[in-house]
Amino acid sequence: MAENSDIFTFSEKPALQAELISAAHMLTAHNSGQVIALVLGPRSDAELALKQGAQQVLWLGELPPDRLVEDTVLTIAAAIQSQQPFAVLIGATARGRAIAGRLSARLGVAALTDVLEFQWEKDDLLARHMVFGGGAVRIDRPLTQPVIATIGTGVFDATPAKTGDAGAIKSIDWVDPAWQAKLIERRARGGGSVNLAAAKRVVCPGRGVAQQEDLAMIEELAQTLSAEVACTRPLAEGLGWLPRERYIGISGAMIKPDLYLGVGVSGQAQHTIGMSESRVVVAINKDRDAPLVTQSDYAIEGDLYQVVPALIRALKARKGK
Amino acid sequence: MDFKWTEEQELLIQSLEELLQREAPESLMAELDAKHEFPFKSWQALADNGILALGIPEEYGGVPADITTLTLVCETLGKYALPLGIIYSLGIITIRDIIQFGSDEIKAEVLGGFVRGDLPVALGITEPQAGSDAAAMKATAVIDGDDVILNGQKMYCTLSKITKYILFMTRDSEGANPYASISMWLLPSDTPGLRFNLLNKVGWWTVPTYEVFIENARVPSKNLVGQYNSGWPQLMANFEIERLALCAASVGAAEAALDDSLSYANRRVQFGNPIGSYQAVQHILTDMAIKNENMRNYIYKIAWMMDQGMSVRHEHAMCKLYVARAACEVTDSAMQIMGGLGYMMDHRVQRLWRDIRLMRIGGGTDEIMYNIAGPQLLKQARKG
Amino acid sequence: MKIVVCAKLAPDASDIEIRSDGTISLERAEWRIGSFDLQAIEAAVRLRELHGGSVTALSIGPLRINNSKLRKDLLSRGPDDLVLVADDTLANADTAVTAQVLAAAIQKIGAVDLVLTGEGSADLYFQQAGLVVGELLELPVFNAVSRIDANTGSLRIERSLEDETEVLEVPLPAVLAVTTDIHTPRLPNMKEILLAARKPVLEWSLTELGMHDAITPRVETVSLKAPRPVERKRILIEGSPDEAAQALVAHLNKEGVL
């Protein structure tokens, strides 16, 4: 049983950490606990967490260059065992999932993944997430504590960072991992980082785009719209045309832009679940029965190779006015 | 009576369907058809995934498969990628003739190559003056030492230029009985003395058909397949499975045509309602479905009979006659259901309609099928 | 290398039916091998082809998974044999239960060098089971593995993370959850399908695994419903590409999203 109502957060990504802290505050509003951020990194990262709204920071220090983020599992487990928080919110990156899974095994508790919303039922915390490839919504009640939950980017909005907030930064003791893998190399992945969650307009090509060279036309459309380029999973993973962080879907980015424009996107549930809360959805597809078309606000049934250039022309003409 | 497939057949077809969706999607078939290009990559994918090994003896890299399984494969190919179904069916007669009558050397060369992805052996039988009347062929083979010199002109010889070998039929003009004077030779298509003239067809655009001129083409006389002057019964032995395979591919195509029609009838709105809600359309669709069901039952009954070792001498002809006609009717109805869209080159129904029309002519015309079945029926009745 | 690859047999989520009251049903869905698990099987089989050893497929679930066609389907993809733990108490088992049973089975198989799982199950996709199994077995465990090369006694792996690729040397035995990048699974051919029927299948009960009373779920499902569809305008813009594009721009302008 949890001793207290505190909520821990952990993410190796500061932007995601801010969202977790915000989510944690929503929870502590109900149960009056404290929001405590576990931070791995230099002291400035610990200070940032306080600015992002953490009321306390448990600081793991900086990761030595030959160690992995996952080497912190035992350290984090010890902190959880000692402080007995009500819940631990972990950012759903690959590393976050690894830590969540291993922590849940160590602590003998459940981990609820890719949580989209929390609900309180008396003092029980329920979590909502998607299953069946986006085909169903499931609400789960964890029967163990602490509640470990992973949360993806863009699900919760971060509250803007404040300055000058007091809050303790407490160093916690490092616990050596039970086993170690040897780090041989880290290779940066091309494409730079993109924050799809923050984009107001998104252009999303799908399998209707025949070849990689044609993405130039999509890029031009995006630029004309001042939009970010996202994509469906096959274009990122299968074809490798775009970096992984650009794909929208149940295992990728979940976004809520003002405008989503799907070009040659059929609209399978695994994808649409990542953009279904967009304010305005536009579909360009040669098949009027494609799922995305039936789930759109505006659709043009046509050959994207004709419609996209026409759209670029029409947008430029409007700008010219 | 058990109409179920074995689990192995279900798993095979599941795997083949996924393969075709990956390697021979409709968009690719449409593109190749429009460009009149052979589906080389898709054919190789069939080889790489063991489909071409089916029914080939194991010592050449093959995997045992009964006729029912081969029929299932042809139906599946016909449904998802008719060009592949056609190519595969065309090859069955020549491949089986090689298996049954070829020398060890010929078998190793041809069957091993086929399993690895070589195109099927072409059949050089028809000549300008010899179609249904195949025995009227005039191509000759003259022994010269260890070689044989081949001369003649073959018509409608599909694949001949682009494949490695042609199964070339010649006639010994001295022989009194034409059907006992025909010989079968393995003729490499790159033999000097061969000239190919591409023919322009209404359909089957991905599968090139040629007029072939053979002028003093010299091949080793060990390229004789089977026995001298036994070519006709050797070919006849495999007409049945050839026709069955073509039927199966046609049935697959008819199913694709019905699927397209049903989908369209549910979506196309005229006069305020989907056209599928009108009885006239429902009647056409139901007739199509009944024909598909009949065709399917017919081909698998024949396949079963052949697997049991039963004679299908006239039964298979009746099946071919029925399937060719019914498949043409189904694809024609599909075009009618789809109206203007059905007539557009953009949609696949026109391709199915064009490709299927040949089934009443190729592999034995409707009229020859009647000639096979009619007398047999009467003969059977006289016995009883 | 003795490899165990975990594969989940479950109803195909794309066959989901929505009832009129909004609840969902998978009763008529066809049961299949999870698509992500197929990649793990392919990775295992390729390692065996390169380095020798054996591949055992392991699957747990309700009695329904002990089905001749599913067994052949699994075995036709390359494993040498199959271990099944089929018990109706495992229907809808949560991650904790699943991982404990898998771990117990792996220990009973014994002397295992490498355990592979897919990225996540095809139906629930929680992406956790492999990680929990690894931790329960106290073995090095990594997810997001996009490449595996074997040396003697260790593996060189690449992890495909959001911003970078991590290249690690992992001691054996280990547990790895592979990504979809790792390999395109081969399609079963007839030869493999025919061989599948002859490969050994071991059926173990929970009692044999010493697990009969021990398993308590840690998650309770409170509701399972179809997602509420967002009401969309569904305006289909007609006309030539230029006409349609201009009409769309006008609409978007009015919506205030430009």
Side-chain angles (χ1 to χ4, degrees), chain B residues 1 66 85 165 172 196 232 266 296 323 330 335 357 372 374:
Chain B
M1 185 175 287
D66 61 12
Y165 297 106
D172 181 348
F196 300 89
W232 186 255
N266 271 331
R296 243 198 316 267
V323 170
V330 169
M335 184 176 279
R357 184 56 184 85
I372 296 172

Side-chain angles (χ1 to χ4, degrees), chain B residues 53 83 92 142 162 209 282 356 365:
Chain B
I92 282 199
V142 175
I162 61 172
T209 305
Q282 288 171 9
I356 290 299
T365 59

Side-chain angles (χ1 to χ4, degrees), chain A:
Chain A
M1 259 318 181
E3 294 278 335
N4 63 39
S5 327
D6 294 338
I7 312 282
F8 278 13
T9 69
F10 176 76
S11 179
E12 77 281 12
K13 291 202 180 301
L16 184 44
Q17 177 179 262
E19 294 170 11
L20 298 178
I21 289 170
S22 181
H25 274 290
M26 285 170 57
L27 296 179
T28 55
H30 175 98
N31 73 356
S32 313
Q34 294 269 290
V35 174
I36 302 175
L38 292 156
V39 176
L40 175 70
R43 191 170 177 98
S44 52
D45 281 2
E47 287 158 7
L48 176 62
L50 291 176
K51 292 196 185 110
Q52 289 173 337
Q55 289 155 307
Q56 202 191 122
V57 166
L58 294 178
W59 185 35
L60 284 80
E62 268 187 84
L63 190 68
D66 64 333
R67 297 250 192 204
L68 309 173
V69 172
E70 289 86 348
D71 288 339
T72 59
V73 167
L74 292 189
T75 307
I76 296 176
I80 294 172
Q81 275 160 333
S82 122
Q83 300 232 202
Q84 305 263 327
F86 179 81
V88 182
L89 307 182
I90 300 180
T93 56
R95 291 186 168 117
R97 282 183 209 111
I99 290 173
R102 292 177 54 195
L103 279 177
S104 72
R106 281 231 94 72
L107 302 169
V109 301
L112 299 172
T113 55
D114 294 315
V115 175
L116 297 174
E117 191 188 24
F118 289 107
Q119 283 167 229
W120 285 102
E121 200 181 76
K122 298 242 190 73
D123 293 325
D124 274 350
L125 189 62
L126 307 184
R128 172 166 75 83
H129 47 182
M130 304 299 300
V131 294
F132 301 140
V137 176
R138 200 167 102 166
I139 300 182
D140 283 333
R141 181 204 318 276
L143 301 172
T144 51
Q145 262 160 2
V147 175
I148 299 184
T150 69
I151 299 172
T153 312
V155 173
F156 290 91
D157 294 323
T159 44
K162 307 172 280 195
T163 49
D165 246 62
I169 296 176
K170 183 172 143 196
S171 283
I172 55 173
D173 291 327
W174 176 259
V175 179
D176 267 332
W179 50 262
Q180 254 199 294
K182 182 169 154 201
L183 176 65
I184 296 179
E185 183 188 3
R186 288 189 206 279
R187 287 201 300 264
R189 288 164 66 108
S193 54
V194 56
N195 190 357
L196 279 181
K200 289 232 172 297
R201 285 170 291 276
V202 169
V203 175
C204 181
R207 294 287 289 267
V209 175
Q211 48 200 12
Q212 189 165 9
E213 292 72 53
D214 302 335
L215 288 178
M217 175 178 70
I218 304 290
E219 269 288 347
E220 199 190 338
L221 176 60
Q223 267 175 32
T224 317
L225 267 174
S226 305
E228 276 289 0
V229 175
C231 65
T232 59
R233 188 172 188 176
L235 265 64
E237 298 235 317
L239 296 165
W241 292 352
L242 285 157
R244 185 172 286 153
E245 343 25 298
R246 287 197 186 256
Y247 88 74
I248 295 168
I250 196 173
S251 52
M254 307 269 287
I255 60 172
K256 295 181 269 206
D258 290 337
L259 172 65
Y260 165 96
L261 201 148
V263 180
V265 173
S266 64
Q268 298 191 320
Q270 297 97 314
H271 172 71
T272 58
I273 215 66
M275 46 61 65
S276 62
E277 294 186 37
S278 309
R279 184 150 84 72
V280 175
V281 173
V282 176
I284 299 173
N285 197 301
K286 63 176 195 262
D287 178 11
R288 72 169 61 189
D289 295 316
L292 184 68
V293 173
T294 60
Q295 293 166 44
S296 64
D297 294 299
Y298 304 98
I300 297 179
E301 182 190 21
D303 178 0
L304 67 94
Y305 288 95
Q306 298 199 319
V307 176
V308 170
L311 190 51
I312 293 171
R313 285 194 294 274
L315 287 165
K316 282 187 173 160
R318 175 182 168 272
K319 265 193 193 167
K321 279 187 190 144

